[in-house]
């Protein structure tokens, strides 16, 4: 059984390679592989048919009781074969249906879905079951969304509804584990806790029922299935006839042992199922699109199955299982036949499809057989399964006869929409010759016919279903069960009379079909499920906008004031009440340097609050950070001090880059407003100080802190406790933070890549500024003084020369700090910040805005850094049994640990993020901060400058000729890419650029010819 899952997992890995080699013909090897996996599963199925329930378990997360536990029973066997066999047929069909090309997303997602579905039906662990349930939802979402624009909105609506079921199932799983005390699915279902706690049983039963109803498209969650017909026909044939919708039915059957006698379960499933059966049939008759008609017919058929599962008797479970098999056969075939009709006629509209009966007789016969099986006409398998459903409802007791009558009414609608399909697609259209039809592949027709035609011989060997159905009943109901015997003839019974009545009424409908179908076309609602979901979404958006007034994303002042003011208010009101019961303050909390730093920080805060100049504000903010760094150093934490200092430096540089795009002053803010903010800041500061003294200043050093001090050097072999905590003891937290850093960088690029260039960098003249007068007089144009004020390049030459010496020293310092980080202050994060200082110096040494390094280097560094960190974790998992557990060894007497490799990942990711921030946020070209020059290219004067959008695009695609106009990730064309820039001699100690007034080339700037063309 475990080999079945492994084989499907291997197919998930191999499918992209197969599509690369074989294109759409990949369906053939995948179909053969599915049949081979089905054969591999057959020995397990044979054990189940013999009366056993084989189990296999692989430990996964023992501490949480989560195992990769598999258990095969009658339910799992039937659904596994449906997923594999129908999947194989659909893959064969796809080789003729899909357009030529790789079609990688289709085949890969289909295989992922099959893997998830088979793992779902064989899972014996509640948590694994939930994970597989969600994987099926995600796979179906992507399969619908891959259809392009028509599939985007339907895929989101499908995801919305199925995720409602996912949330209810998650709660149900949590409650089940809490009530039964186990994650083992079989043990939980047979637990005696359900009888002891009927309220809990009712709650969980309702939650599971809702989850199953969302996936199987039951009222009121039925709208997603017709909406999902935007997907390709093979997707509909597999997911929406034999797989996804069957997952909901499977869940109901799987939980039947615990809830089959729970009244809430019975009432909910029966009521919803019969309502769905009736409205599904009615809505099917409203449709002009034959594919949507089939979708609503699926909704109707699943309604009957759901209602019978809700009955919960042995006969009902057996009938539901038989109809699941029959429905998988005729409905998958009918969906594929819709594709055949579409290819022949070029349309799915019943009012436009020509008369296909003559030019496509084989397709006509196959469609008749499929619709006859769905309508319940003997001697097809659909007739036998439909009669068994009627029998289960009649024998349910109580209101069984009323349920039977409703099911018969729904079946009349079934016959009517089957007739509409056959007559609308093959008989009632305009005459047409074979030469006038579109092309249709014989492979498509053969694949569609296979499951439909199988209904006929299967109805003649019904005894073959006895053992499988008995196994299903045994798995769905507790205790001993009676053997199931499926028969074609039961005598003259109410069910047989009902079938005859349905056929008779159906014939009358066929005779009067023009009037009947016109009636149903008019008797339709003015809205559909998509409109309802759109209304819900609109209402939620209105509610969100109303609530968002308090937390407007463009103005943080209201909610910051609310949060911080609330904190201060709670502090001032609560501290007097609890103060008498607090322990005394710890000793040595106050030193003279603390008072000095407090005064200086307070002054800096007041400057931040009252200054009109943004530049002054940034300087004061930097002063606060530096003073806080001094405070940390005074407390004896050199490692944290170095980190704080470097972070402060990098942060201020990034803020200065952003200031290029903002007004120079806060001239709109009044003095009164700024004064009130200063008072507010002082009050919040006092409140936080009081809280710190009350909560932290009165306790001893924590047990955890003492543990790290005493045990960390011995366990890790490192004496820098801060670093060993980050890369060993709490490495998982660090990995999470590292991933967040990486995602922040990627998010910057992603956001910038969806906004057009003209909206990111508006002209500076659009930014209002108060009028200012020059307060200094400079020498005339052409002098060194004039160039020093009005031009940037003379001012950066000293820095360019300095960096030639300082850059290598910083790199060496960065490597030394990294190397010593395990035993002395340092480590990957601090070393990366020192290395980033080189990037900052390189950036500031350019007179014009230029990207530092290759365009795609930041993303490569971020990805490589996170990848190395994850690989380090996997090494620990493989060789030490725990993810991220460090491995230690000695080389030439020197102790080495894999946590150093983890630190390399931290180093690279931080370096990449800093590089990305400089290259993206530092872009500026405006009247206030001009960048670039006018150059002659291809006979046209162009501005040689890169703006934010172009820089973001180059991070993804390399050097480009300009910003892209795309907003949805479209790749640039060949003509939009250019080769990398060259280089030329830069400023040296012996040059006379400033004296001669000749600007040197910046880093990354290509030398040009006299004509202005790049050399």
């Amino acid at each position: 059984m475990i080999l079945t899952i492994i084989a499907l997992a291997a197919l998930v890995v191999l499918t992209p390679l197969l599509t690369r080699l074989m294109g759409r013909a990949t369906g053939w090897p995948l179909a053969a592989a599915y049949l081979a996996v089905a054969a591999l599963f057959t020995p397990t199925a044979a054990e189940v048919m013999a009366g056993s329930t084989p189990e296999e378990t692989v430990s996964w997360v023992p501490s949480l009781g989560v195992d990769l536990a598999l258990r095969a029973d009658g339910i799992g066997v039937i659904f596994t074969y449906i997923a594999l066999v129908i999947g194989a047929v659909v893959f064969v069909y796809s080789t003729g249906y899909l357009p030529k090309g790789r079609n990688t997303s289709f085949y890969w997602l289909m295989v992922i879905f099959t893997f998830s579905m088979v793992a779902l039906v064989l899972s014996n662990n509640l948590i694994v079951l939930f994970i597989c349930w969600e994987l099926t939802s995600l796979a179906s979402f992507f399969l619908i969304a891959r259809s392009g624009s028509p599939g985007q909105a339907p895929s989101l609506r499908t995801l919305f509804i199925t995720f409602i079921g996912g949330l209810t199932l998650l709660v149900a799983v949590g409650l089940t584990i809490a009530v039964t005390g186990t994650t083992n699915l079989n043990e939980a279902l047979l637990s005696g806790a359900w009888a002891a706690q009927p309220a809990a049983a009712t709650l969980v039963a309702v939650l599971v029922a809702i989850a199953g109803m969302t996936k199987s498209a039951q009222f009121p969650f039925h709208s997603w299935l017709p909406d999902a017909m935007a997907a390709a026909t093979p997707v509909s044939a597999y997911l929406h006839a034999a797989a996804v919708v069957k997952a909901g039915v499977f869940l109901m059957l799987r939980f039947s042992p615990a809830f089959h006698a729970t009244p809430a379960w019975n009432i909910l499933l029966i009521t919803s199922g019969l309502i769905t059966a009736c409205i599904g049939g009615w809505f099917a008759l409203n449709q002009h699109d034959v594919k949507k008609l089939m979708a609503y017919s699926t909704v109707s058929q699943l309604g009957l199955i759901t209602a019978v599962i809700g009955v919960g008797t042995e006969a009902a479970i057996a009938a539901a299982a038989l109809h699941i098999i029959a429905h998988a056969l005729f409905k998958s075939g009918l969906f594929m036949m819709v594709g055949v009709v579409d290819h022949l006629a070029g349309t799915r509209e019943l009012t436009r499809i020509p008369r296909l009966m003559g030019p496509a007789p084989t397709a006509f016969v196959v469609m008749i057989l499929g619709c006859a099986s769905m309508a319940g006409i003997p001697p097809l398998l659909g007739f036998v399964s439909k009669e068994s459903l009627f029998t289960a409802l009649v024998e349910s007791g109580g209101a069984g006869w009323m349920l039977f009558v409703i099911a018969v009414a729904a079946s009349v609608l079934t016959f009517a929409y089957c007739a509409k399909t056959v007559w609308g697609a093959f008989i009632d259209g305009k005459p047409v010759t074979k030469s006038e039809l579109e092309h249709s592949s014989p492979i498509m027709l053969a694949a569609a016919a296979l499951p439909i035609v199988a209904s006929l011989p299967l109805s003649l060997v019904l005894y073959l279903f006895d053992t499988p159905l008995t196994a299903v009943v045994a798995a769905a109901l507790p205790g001993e069960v009676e053997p199931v015997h499926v028969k074609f003839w039961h005598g003259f019974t109410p069910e047989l009379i009902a079938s005859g009545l349905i056929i008779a009424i159906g014939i009358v409908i066929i005779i009067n079909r023009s009037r009947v179908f016109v009636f149903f076309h008019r008797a339709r609602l003015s809205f559909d499920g998509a409109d309802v979901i759109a209304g819900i979404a609109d209402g939620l958006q209105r509610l969100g906008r109303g609530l968002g007034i308090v937390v407007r994303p463009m103005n943080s002042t209201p909610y910051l004031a609310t949060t911080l003011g609330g904190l201060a208010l709670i502090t001032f009101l609560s501290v007097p009440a609890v103060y008498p019961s607090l322990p005394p303050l710890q000793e040595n909390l106050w030193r003279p340097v603390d008072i000095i730093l407090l005064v200086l920080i307070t002054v800096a805060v007041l400057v931040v609050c009252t200054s009109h100049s943004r530049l002054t504000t940034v300087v004061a903010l930097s002063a606060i950070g530096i003073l806080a760094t001094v405070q940390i150093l005074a407390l004896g934490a050199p490692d944290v001090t170095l980190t704080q200092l470097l972070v402060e430096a990098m942060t201020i540089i990034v803020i200065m880059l952003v200031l290029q795009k903002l007004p120079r002053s806060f001239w709109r803010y009044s003095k009164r407003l700024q004064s009130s903010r200063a008072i507010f800041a002082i009050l919040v500061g006092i409140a936080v100080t009081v809280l710190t003294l009350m909560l932290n200043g009165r306790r001893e050093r924590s047990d955890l802190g003492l543990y790290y001090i005493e045990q960390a050097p011995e366990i890790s072999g490192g004496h820098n406790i801060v670093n060993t905590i980050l890369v060993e003891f709490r490495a998982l937290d660090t990995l999470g933070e590292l991933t967040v850093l990486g995602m922040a960088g990627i998010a910057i690029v992603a956001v910038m890549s969806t906004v057009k260039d003209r909206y990111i960098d508006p002209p500076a003249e659009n930014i209002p500024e108060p009028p200012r007068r020059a307060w200094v007089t400079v020498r005339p144009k052409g002098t060194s003084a004039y160039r020093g004020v009005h031009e940037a390049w003379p001012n950066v030459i000293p820095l360019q020369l300095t960096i030639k010496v300082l850059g290598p020293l910083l790199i060496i310092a960065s490597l030394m700090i990294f190397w010593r980080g395990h035993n002395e202050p340092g480590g990957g994060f601090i070393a990366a910040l020192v290395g980033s200082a080189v990037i900052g110096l390189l950036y500031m040494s350019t007179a014009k805005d230029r990207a530092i390094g290759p365009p795609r280097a930041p993303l490569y560094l971020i990805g490589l850094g996170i990848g190395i960190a994850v690989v380090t974790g996997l090494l620990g998992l493989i060789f030490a049994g725990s993810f991220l557990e460090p491995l230690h060894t000695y080389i030439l007497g020197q102790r080495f640990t894999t946590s150093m490799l983890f630190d390399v990942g931290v180093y690279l990711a931080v370096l990449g993020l800093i590089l990305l921030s400089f290259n993206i946020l530092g872009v500026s070209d405006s009247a206030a901060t001009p960048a670039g020059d006018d150059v002659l290219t291809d006979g046209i004067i162009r501005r040689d400058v890169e703006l934010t959008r172009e820089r973001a695009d180059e991070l993804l695609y390399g050097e480009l000729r300009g910003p892209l106009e795309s907003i949805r990730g479209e790749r640039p064309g060949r003509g939009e890419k250019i080769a990398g820039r060259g280089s030329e001699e830069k400023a040296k100690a012996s040059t006379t650029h400033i004296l001669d007034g000749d600007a040197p080339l910046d880093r990354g700037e290509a030398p040009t010819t006299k004509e202005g063309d790049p050399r």
Side-chain angles (χ1 to χ4, degrees), residues 277-328:
C278 293
I279 66 172
W282 188 281
F283 292 156
L285 288 167
N286 294 155
Q287 304 306 310
H288 292 284
D289 186 331
V290 68
K291 192 176 181 183
K292 280 203 169 185
L293 185 154
M294 285 297 163
Y296 278 111
S297 73
T298 300
V299 170
S300 179
Q301 295 299 304
L302 292 173
L304 291 175
I305 296 173
T306 299
V308 172
I309 293 174
V311 171
T313 62
E314 292 184 12
I317 298 298
L322 182 59
H323 200 61
I324 288 169
I325 297 171
H327 181 263

Side-chain angles (χ1 to χ4, degrees), residues 114 486 909:
T114 305
V486 183

